């Protein structure tokens, strides 16, 4: 199918926008917060209930330091008691940066004539995946600009290519997608290639602000983007990721937008978003942020905690856009996935020589603030007593709604998630870890086994670890 901006409008007539900016602004302006209400809502979230839009406004309007501390402590407790200490690792892989859209904030925008445009050839793609596998990655998110070259058929082709790359003990077991909104037909084509999550970020949920930043191409159309994940659902992709680019408009409005979007998906499809992303706007080529909307570290950490409480069952993704210290803090408030060893320049994973910074800026979409290797990220997680995980079991066993099960099925995390995290960490240690990371890793595994033993038998996990030591791979529950 030839992919044109018009082609994804045809099936969309029934899709109506569900964001009422005035409603959100009124809620933010008129909802009164108090320490008592904040306490009540934290208890509501801790008893595994979803917060309403109005509840979320109460938390957003809590500005005294005692309430903010309670919100952060509440998110921390929710994360610790429900999800434990696992952190899932992944890497983004940029496949092509050709783009017809003109998003003011993005280095790939069509008006940026300095940008060096590139699409990985199949050969380049294989090399990139081999390099990622050599580092120990098992989960990727493929990223594309919006361009007729990146049709659903092309995206599906790249997904299949990635799954077919096997180097040594390496393989990619889950491919997620971050690409342009598609038609229902287009989503079906991509779904058939075996993707995990399809992510589309709304960038800003505020319609007027959206118009200001999106100056050309199909992405100009707010409603087309807003309803894109409805089309994904109609196409049978029930694993979707939502997100907002924090820094384009008032961050409180964006949090409300994310919660409203979640409500919409729950109401219409009986399943909420698999993941929520909350990237903070970074400098990109000549783009200068509007200081009114710049999100401070203080507000950013608060908003992550509020999202954790408002939508307690969903996966929360933090990326290398954030500096190490912020990553460290928000991991406590409920982030469940982070990237490690990230490179945003096309072809850079397999390209060994260092480029100087000015060369880089013309090839990257924006600057990242954490350029540590995957091993360094894992090493630090181990130091902080987290359990790094490359688990892909639910998706591969057809256990859809995995985050919801983690959240709602008693014992699910211990029985499946922790056990699989331990097994995938054991594989990483055997195949890729540096000696000192390996030593720390085995200690963390031992400690986690001891913790699990208080609740269940661990003989089968231990026997599988021995099988992994002898060379077997991909053992999961
Ligand atoms: N082209 C597709 C799209 O726009 O949805 C997918 C790829 S785009 C490269 C992925 C995401 O990068 C965007 O949705 C946006 O949120 C994020 N992004 C763009 N410019 C950014 C910047 N300057 N800082 C941080 N994130 C940015
Ligand atoms: Fe293109 Fe996406 Fe960048 Fe917009 S954010 S210019 S659509 S790559």
């Amino acid at each position: 199918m030839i992919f044109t901006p018009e082609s994804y409008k045809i099936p969309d007539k029934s899709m109506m926008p569900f964001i009422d900016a005035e409603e959100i602004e009124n809620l933010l302006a008129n909802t009164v917060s108090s320490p008592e209400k904040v306490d009540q809502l934290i208890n509501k979230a801790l008893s595994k209930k979803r917060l309403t839009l109005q509840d979320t406004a109460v938390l957003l309007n809590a500005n005294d330091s005692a309430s903010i501390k309670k919100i952060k402590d509440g998110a921390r407790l929710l994360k610790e008691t429900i999800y434990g200490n696992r952190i899932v690792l992944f890497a983004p892989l940029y496949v092509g940066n050709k783009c017809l859209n003109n998003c003011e904030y993005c280095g790939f925008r069509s008006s940026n004539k300095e940008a060096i445009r590139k699409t990985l050839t199949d050969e380049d793609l294989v090399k990139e995946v081999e390099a990622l596998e050599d580092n120990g990655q098992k989960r990727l998110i493929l990223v594309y600009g919006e361009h007729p070259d990146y049709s659903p058929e092309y995206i599906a082709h790249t997904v299949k290519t990635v799954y077919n790359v096997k180097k040594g003990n390496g393989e990619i077991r889950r491919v997620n997608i971050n690409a342009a909104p598609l038609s229902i037909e287009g989503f079906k084509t991509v779904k058939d290639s075996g993707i995990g999550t399809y992510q589309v970020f709304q960038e800003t949920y505020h319609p007027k602000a959206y118009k200001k930043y999106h100056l050309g191409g199909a992405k100009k159309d707010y409603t087309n983007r807003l309803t894109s994940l409805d089309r994904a659902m109609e196409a049978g992709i029930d694993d979707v990721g939502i997100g907002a680019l924090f820094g384009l408009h008032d961050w409180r409005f964006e949090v409300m937008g994310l919660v409203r979007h979640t409500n919409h998906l729950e109401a219409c499809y009986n399943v909420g978003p698999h993941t929520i992303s909350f990237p903070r706007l970074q400098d990109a080529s000549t783009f200068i942020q509007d200081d009114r909307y710049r999100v401070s570290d203080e507000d950013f950490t608060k908003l992550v905690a509020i999202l954790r409480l408002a939508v307690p069952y969903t996966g929360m993704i933090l990326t290398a856009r954030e500096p190490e210290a912020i990553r460290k803090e928000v991991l406590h408030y409920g982030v469940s996935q982070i990237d490690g060893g990230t490179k945003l320049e096309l072809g850079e994973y397999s390209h060994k020589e260092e480029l100087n910074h000015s060369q880089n800026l013309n090839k990257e979409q924006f600057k990242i603030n954490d350029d540590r290797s995957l091993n360094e990220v894992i090493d630090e997680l181990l130091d902080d007593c987290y359990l790094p995980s490359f688990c892909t079991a639910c998706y591969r066993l057809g256990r859809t709604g995995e985050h919801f099960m983690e959240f709602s099925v008693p014992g699910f995390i211990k029985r499946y998630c922790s056990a699989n995290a331990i097994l995938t960490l054991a594989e990483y240690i055997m195949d890729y870890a540096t000696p000192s990371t390996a030593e720390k890793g085995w200690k963390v595994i031992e400690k986690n086994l001891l913790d699990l033993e208080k609740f269940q038998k661990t003989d089968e996990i231990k026997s599988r670890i021995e099988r992994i030591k002898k060379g077997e791979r991909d053992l999961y529950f």
Side-chain angles (χ1 to χ4, degrees):
M1 172 184 136
I2 301 292
F3 185 60
T4 63
E6 287 70 36
S7 67
Y8 43 56
K9 290 229 177 110
I10 300 158
D12 300 347
K13 293 237 165 73
S14 61
M15 306 277 177
M16 301 298 286
F18 48 83
I19 294 282
D20 179 344
E22 220 173 292
E23 180 199 19
I24 292 181
E25 279 163 353
N26 283 338
L27 279 171
L28 285 172
N30 301 321
T31 305
V32 181
S33 184
S34 68
E36 296 71 37
K37 280 194 194 164
V38 168
D39 283 343
Q40 270 169 18
L41 294 175
I42 292 171
N43 287 334
K44 182 173 175 185
L46 286 171
S47 63
K48 298 191 172 188
K49 294 205 180 80
R50 273 274 279 107
L51 301 190
T52 63
L53 261 190
Q54 181 133 26
D55 296 341
T56 309
V58 171
L59 298 185
L60 290 167
N61 283 341
N63 291 319
D64 61 295
S65 53
S67 294
I68 295 173
K69 183 170 181 311
K70 275 188 190 163
I71 289 170
K72 290 183 174 179
D73 289 347
R76 187 191 289 252
L77 188 60
L78 193 145
K79 148 120 189 168
E80 282 168 9
T81 49
I82 298 182
Y83 293 102
N85 60 350
R86 285 165 309 122
I87 300 291
V88 171
L89 290 149
F90 71 96
L93 171 54
Y94 280 65
V95 179
N97 68 358
K98 291 188 186 175
C99 196
L100 293 184
N101 292 331
N102 204 9
C103 311
E104 205 188 344
Y105 46 81
C106 177
F108 295 165
R109 66 186 179 277
S110 57
S111 64
N112 182 8
K113 302 298 173 210
E114 307 290 308
I116 299 167
R117 304 288 166 178
K118 191 172 167 183
T119 304
L120 299 181
T121 61
D122 283 359
E123 208 187 349
D124 293 335
L125 184 60
V126 169
K127 278 195 198 141
E128 287 287 274
V129 177
E130 285 180 345
L132 284 156
E133 289 179 358
D134 282 346
N135 289 337
Q137 302 282 3
K138 295 283 186 280
R139 306 166 61 107
L140 298 184
I141 178 146
L142 304 187
V143 187
Y144 312 73
E146 183 159 359
H147 190 273
D149 284 2
Y150 311 141
S151 64
E153 291 73 14
Y154 174 76
I155 293 176
H157 167 74
T158 53
V159 171
K160 287 182 209 151
T161 305
V162 169
Y163 279 130
N164 282 332
V165 178
K166 315 262 177 203
K167 179 145 185 244
N169 282 334
E171 62 180 347
I172 300 302
R173 297 175 183 159
R174 178 170 176 138
V175 176
N176 298 330
I177 299 290
N178 186 320
L182 302 174
S183 64
I184 295 175
E185 278 312 306
F187 277 123
K188 280 187 185 156
T189 303
V190 174
K191 177 184 163 42
D192 290 345
S193 66
I195 61 159
T197 310
Y198 200 104
Q199 285 185 348
V200 177
F201 301 161
Q202 186 58 25
E203 321 296 13
T204 171
Y205 281 92
H206 195 274
K208 279 200 191 127
Y210 187 93
K211 207 168 167 194
K212 188 173 79 189
Y213 292 108
H214 298 100
L215 307 169
K219 196 164 162 182
K220 257 191 348 193
D221 185 337
Y222 172 91
T223 304
N224 179 58
R225 193 154 179 104
L226 188 68
T227 55
S228 57
L229 296 175
D230 293 76
R231 297 195 292 282
M233 290 278 185
E234 298 289 338
I237 301 178
D238 60 359
D239 187 333
V240 298
I242 63 172
L245 183 52
F246 280 87
L248 297 178
H249 189 65
D250 179 0
W251 63 270
R252 280 164 282 252
F253 189 97
E254 307 300 8
V255 172
M256 294 288 274
L258 289 166
V259 173
R260 182 68 188 86
H261 200 163
T262 301
N263 295 350
H264 169 77
L265 294 173
E266 284 175 354
C268 296
Y269 308 100
N270 219 7
V271 44
H274 189 73
T275 53
I276 298 185
S277 301
F278 28 85
R280 249 194 308 186
L281 190 58
Q282 306 294 320
D283 292 336
S285 83
T286 56
F287 174 68
I288 297 175
Q289 279 194 53
D290 183 337
D291 273 337
R292 272 178 307 167
Y293 301 129
R294 203 177 278 278
V295 185
S296 67
D297 290 351
E298 176 72 8
D299 288 338
F300 184 71
T301 49
K302 177 181 166 189
L303 81 83
V304 175
I306 293 177
L307 279 171
R308 174 70 301 156
L309 294 170
V311 192
Y313 64 77
T314 203
M316 305 228 311
I317 303 182
L318 186 80
T319 67
R321 294 169 178 97
E322 293 303 333
E324 225 175 299
I326 295 292
R327 278 213 204 203
K328 253 187 153 166
E329 182 175 352
V330 298
L331 278 178
H332 293 303
Y333 306 151
V335 164
S336 51
Q337 291 188 31
I338 61 171
D339 53 340
T342 292
K343 298 189 195 289
L344 296 189
E345 193 199 315
L346 275 105
E348 204 186 355
Y349 288 113
S350 52
H351 196 98
K352 299 281 183 269
E353 85 204 46
E354 283 291 318
L355 290 165
N356 72 36
H357 187 62
S358 60
Q359 278 174 305
N360 262 334
L361 265 186
N362 290 336
K363 292 187 178 172
E364 291 170 351
Q365 186 198 8
F366 50 80
K367 287 197 295 183
I368 57 172
N369 287 308
D370 186 345
D371 59 1
R372 290 172 301 161
S373 68
L374 177 63
N375 194 85
E376 285 169 311
V377 171
I378 289 183
D379 203 81
E380 189 186 76
L381 289 173
L382 294 169
D383 279 341
D384 294 342
C385 291
Y386 287 108
L387 179 59
S389 173
F390 292 93
C391 177
T392 52
C394 283
Y395 148 73
R396 291 159 78 212
L397 291 171
R399 287 197 297 248
T400 53
E402 71 195 70
H403 292 315
F404 194 75
M405 286 193 278
E406 287 172 15
F407 173 74
S408 57
V409 179
F412 188 92
I413 291 186
K414 291 191 175 65
R415 188 151 162 225
Y416 297 105
C417 314
S418 304
N420 288 328
I422 288 173
L423 295 180
T424 54
L425 178 59
E427 284 188 343
Y428 178 83
I429 294 172
M430 291 302 294
D431 292 336
Y432 307 104
T434 61
S436 72
T437 305
E439 201 184 319
K440 284 181 205 172
W442 288 124
K443 282 194 184 135
V444 167
I445 287 180
E446 238 170 76
K447 180 178 179 313
N448 277 275
L449 283 170
L450 281 175
D451 290 344
L452 277 183
E453 261 159 30
K454 293 176 200 148
F455 304 93
Q456 66 189 51
K457 287 204 172 110
T458 55
D459 302 354
E460 184 53 29
I461 309 176
K462 286 180 185 157
S463 119
R464 290 188 188 197
I465 293 175
E466 290 312 310
R467 284 164 60 192
I468 288 171
K469 285 183 179 167
K470 288 189 186 125
E472 273 187 76
R473 291 292 173 267
D474 205 14
L475 304 173
Y476 51 89
F477 294 95

